Amino acid sequence: MTRVVQALARVSLILVLGCSPSGTLERVVLVSIDTLRADHVGCYGARRAHTPTLDALAREGVRFETAISPTPITLPSHTTLLTGLEPPRHGVRHNGIFRLADDIPTLAERFQEAGFATAAFLGTVVLDRQHGLDRGFDVYDDQMSLRVAAQFGHSERTADQVTDAALAWLSSAPPRFFLWVHLYDPHGNYDPPPGFAAAFPADPYAGEIAFTDAELGRFLAALHHRFPDGGTAVLVTSDHGESRGEHGEISHSLTIYDATQRVPLLLRAPGLPAGHVVAEPVGLVDVAPTLLGLAGLAPLPETQGMDLRDLVEGRSTGDRALYVETLAPQFDFGWSALLGLRSETFKYVRAPRPELYDISGDPHELRNLADAQPDRVAQLDSQLAERLARPRQAASRLEPGAERRGQLEALGYRVSERVPDASLGRTVGTDPKDGLPLMLTLLQAMTLTAEHRHAEALALLEPLEGGGYFLEVHRANSALNTGRLADAERWAREAVELGSEDMGTHLVLGLILEELGRLDEAEEAFARARARDAASGSPLVALGRLAEGRGDRAQASQLYREAASRRGSSAEAQWHLAALHIEDGEAGQARRLLAELPAGAVEEPEPSVRLARAEQQAGRAEAARARLAAARQRWPHSRCVAEAWTSLEADEPPEQKRQP
């Protein structure tokens, strides 16, 4: 039986199980499916979607037709889920650089205090414990698998891995618990398992959703098998949606249109009617008070959400306005933030060029009415100002090291520079609507860079303006890899000037100086990179490479070993160490080091070239040729692989040369 058939069989099982009967609530399960927009789920009208588990939950419980996320960013949105507070109140405004203040109580803490066992199983490093969401959880499983992307490993887990971990805990869980399961797969890059990829060849995003739905079905079937008494509440939602080209955005975080803000929200619990639909808008801010209310517990203090059972029971809130924001444009590019209000009838966005939409008649937000209705804009902006005038919580700021920067950037997140607290949420400067074409080109160039197509990336990057140090450092890196070293140095120095505290800018400058043969200056740049981020191993690897070039193999080995102990650069350090062992005739030790690395870690161009050079020096010419031949096939656009192959051909006697 194939993996797909097995998954669909598990889904069929949960469909047969039916709705939980009314009874005493003993267990509360919160499932957040990352990057899942509502209109790509069957029960929300997506005809081509394969989401039988979610559709069954809608039939067995309550479906909230218009659920609004407060922000299209994973960490702050989940912080709202777990606190019942909007981002300005809980203070977590972006990924990677904020930690929830210790004095803000969380959903897990309230359940823990009431005697519930608490556990969380996560699918991405973005939510790991350093951000403060682990408070109140007896078990907070944020151990990720390692996937290799460019020179960094980035951490995430697939839905089957998260489900396996959650089910292992569930097998011996006490009968009374609060459990949070986070499934990351619909987030880009879209790479569903083979069976699901084959089922959705033209839409891998839909394939990821179908796979995640199947794994959710497997989890719910096991949950029912272990606890069939009906005393379980299950709420499934998403942190945000995904823009798929609407309004010029191809992913999420830079706009707050409904493509990224409208998410599914399904609730099945004892005492709730089956197949009920709530039409009025609700928010993720309502999840915490609702789950606590179902369990008979008091809401968290100062909660800004409501218990959604009021709407289920027909108590209307009128035209309720839900808060929405994104500060990613401000943090990531120095553009204007976007702040807004979303109700059943309108969407207002405060921006350098304000936006106003009649949601009831223009659900896709295509006709901006702001210029035609200035009085309405002024009224809504006044309401927004009142919301923002409430006391704000200053969250702790984190300083992400190189490992964290690499992980987040490999996941598609720009890692931001510091924005002063007093400036948070300012709507001045470049309007993100105007900056999106630049961002689209940057993303296209980054994709080409990941494929080592540096000349094509540089052709896109060279004419751009207004991207700050982020643009300059990527432009410098592409120029370095295409041999335009003078331009590379100029752009790298501009990047250092714009982002002097960023470790990566000094590292790129050092690489360029190393290529230019100015080794003393390169060493100074690497030392500055090391000083900017003492926890990073990347500068140590660079310094080790310089020591190796000087013939000081002992120092090089020491630096590589120190770097190998730091997870963010361990792969690069280990293949450098392996190359030294090969050259020293210690092939067994080299094999052991390489065997510890994730699949694919030594197949990138740089390790392929370095290991082939070591094998050639050790007299293993056939192994060197085979390694480079494979690299040529895998990376046809790589300059360093092409140069290494040319060098190999030149060094071999004519009778040994042959086509790979």
Side-chain angles (χ1 to χ4, degrees), residues 23 58 61 80 88 98 120 207 216 246 292-293 299 312-313 316 320 333 355 379 407 424 484 490 571 628:
T80 291
F98 286 97
L216 176 60
E246 294 102 324
L292 290 172
V312 175
E313 295 167 6
S316 174
R320 181 187 182 200
F333 298 101
E355 297 173 68
Q379 177 191 2
Q407 290 172 339
L424 290 178
R484 289 176 52 181
R490 172 167 56 85
L628 283 181

Side-chain angles (χ1 to χ4, degrees), residues 297-308:
L297 303 178
L300 296 168
E302 301 182 7
T303 184
Q304 294 176 280
M306 64 176 291
D307 187 334
L308 294 176

Side-chain angles (χ1 to χ4, degrees), residues 124-437:
T124 177
V125 70
V126 177
L127 298 173
D128 72 7
R129 66 189 63 235
Q130 73 168 316
H131 300 292
L133 299 188
D134 62 319
R135 279 192 288 112
F137 284 103
D138 305 324
V139 173
Y140 196 81
D141 184 348
D142 58 356
Q143 299 303 304
M144 301 295 143
S145 62
L146 185 67
R147 293 183 175 188
V148 172
Q151 73 182 88
F152 296 105
H154 67 267
S155 293
E156 61 177 285
R157 284 192 290 188
T158 53
D160 54 335
Q161 293 172 324
V162 176
T163 300
D164 287 345
L167 291 182
W169 178 85
L170 188 68
S171 66
S172 59
R176 198 163 181 251
F177 61 75
F178 167 61
L179 172 62
W180 171 29
V181 177
H182 169 257
L183 305 174
Y184 192 65
D185 300 68
H187 190 285
N189 295 328
Y190 312 134
D191 184 24
F196 291 90
F200 297 91
D203 191 355
Y205 177 62
E208 292 277 34
I209 294 170
F211 169 57
T212 304
D213 183 271
E215 287 302 314
L216 176 60
R218 178 165 73 101
F219 168 77
L220 293 178
L223 175 66
H224 180 86
H225 180 75
R226 175 84 203 282
F227 299 104
D229 59 13
T232 305
V234 176
L235 188 150
V236 180
T237 188
S238 178
D239 56 344
H240 55 74
E242 184 82 317
S243 187
R244 309 192 67 197
E246 294 102 324
H247 299 275
E249 186 176 25
I250 61 171
S251 179
H252 58 270
S253 80
L254 295 179
T255 69
I256 50 176
Y257 301 106
D258 272 11
T260 59
Q261 302 317 116
R262 182 170 171 247
V263 296
L265 200 160
L266 306 168
L267 175 59
R268 186 183 69 192
L272 294 185
H276 187 71
V277 177
V278 172
E280 293 184 45
V282 302
L284 297 190
V285 71
D286 302 323
V287 168
T290 301
L291 294 181
L292 290 172
L294 284 166
L297 303 178
L300 296 168
E302 301 182 7
T303 184
Q304 294 176 280
M306 64 176 291
D307 187 334
L308 294 176
R309 290 179 301 172
D310 289 343
L311 295 179
V312 175
E313 295 167 6
R315 292 189 288 277
S316 174
T317 60
D319 198 12
R320 181 187 182 200
L322 294 156
Y323 176 80
V324 290
E325 72 165 36
T326 178
L327 271 61
Q330 182 183 22
F331 275 104
D332 295 351
F333 298 101
W335 301 343
S336 170
L338 298 176
L339 313 175
L341 296 173
R342 164 61 156 93
S343 80
E344 188 171 10
T345 57
F346 68 84
K347 164 81 73 65
Y348 167 64
V349 180
R350 180 192 284 180
R353 288 187 288 115
E355 297 173 68
L356 175 66
Y357 300 99
D358 175 4
I359 294 295
S360 59
D362 179 24
H364 299 294
E365 301 158 282
L366 300 177
R367 297 185 295 276
N368 184 359
L369 305 175
D371 289 341
Q373 299 184 24
D375 292 342
R376 180 67 165 156
V377 167
Q379 177 191 2
L380 293 171
D381 196 72
S382 178
Q383 291 180 23
L384 178 61
E386 290 177 13
R387 294 281 279 272
L388 295 170
R390 299 171 184 173
R392 296 185 179 188
Q393 172 66 44
S396 303
R397 294 290 188 102
L398 300 175
E399 294 295 340
E403 174 190 350
R404 173 49 55 96
R405 288 176 180 272
Q407 290 172 339
L408 293 174
E409 289 183 1
L411 290 170
Y413 296 113
R414 163 86 157 82
V415 183
S416 312
E417 288 295 281
R418 177 172 290 276
V419 172
D421 287 337
S423 299
L424 290 178
R426 270 192 191 166
T427 51
V428 295
T430 299
D431 194 310
K433 296 187 289 293
D434 301 324
L436 282 172

Side-chain angles (χ1 to χ4, degrees), residues 37 53 84 104 153 226 248 256 280 297 319 435 496 513 526 622-623:
R37 53 187 282 174
T53 306
I104 294 182
R226 175 84 203 282
I256 50 176
E280 293 184 45
L297 303 178
D319 198 12
V496 167
L513 294 168
F526 294 145
E622 287 296 322

Side-chain angles (χ1 to χ4, degrees), residues 16 80 86 94 104 109 115 125 149 166 172 180 202 272 283 334 400 446 477 583 592 608 650 660:
V16 171
T80 291
E86 295 165 350
H94 203 16
I104 294 182
E109 286 179 310
V125 70
S172 59
W180 171 29
L272 294 185
M446 290 168 67
N477 183 61
E583 291 168 350
R592 282 191 290 274
S608 296

Side-chain angles (χ1 to χ4, degrees), residues 452 454 478-485 514-516 605-606 608-610 612-613 616 624 628-629 631-633 635-652:
H452 299 274
H454 298 287
S478 294
L480 165 65
N481 284 283
T482 53
R484 289 176 52 181
L485 298 182
E514 181 183 1
E515 185 77 5
L516 286 165
E606 288 187 9
S608 296
V609 168
R610 177 66 184 95
R613 193 173 76 235
Q616 189 176 18
L628 283 181
R632 284 183 81 202
Q633 185 173 9
W635 306 107
H637 303 283
S638 171
R639 175 169 160 258
C640 72
V641 169
E643 290 176 349
W645 181 261
T646 299
S647 177
L648 178 71
E649 290 278 274
D651 289 345
E652 282 189 356

Side-chain angles (χ1 to χ4, degrees), residues 576-596:
H576 274 292
L577 280 170
L580 292 179
H581 284 301
I582 291 170
E583 291 168 350
D584 292 339
E586 300 167 347
Q589 181 64 16
R591 280 195 299 272
R592 282 191 290 274
L593 282 171
L594 296 176
E596 295 173 359

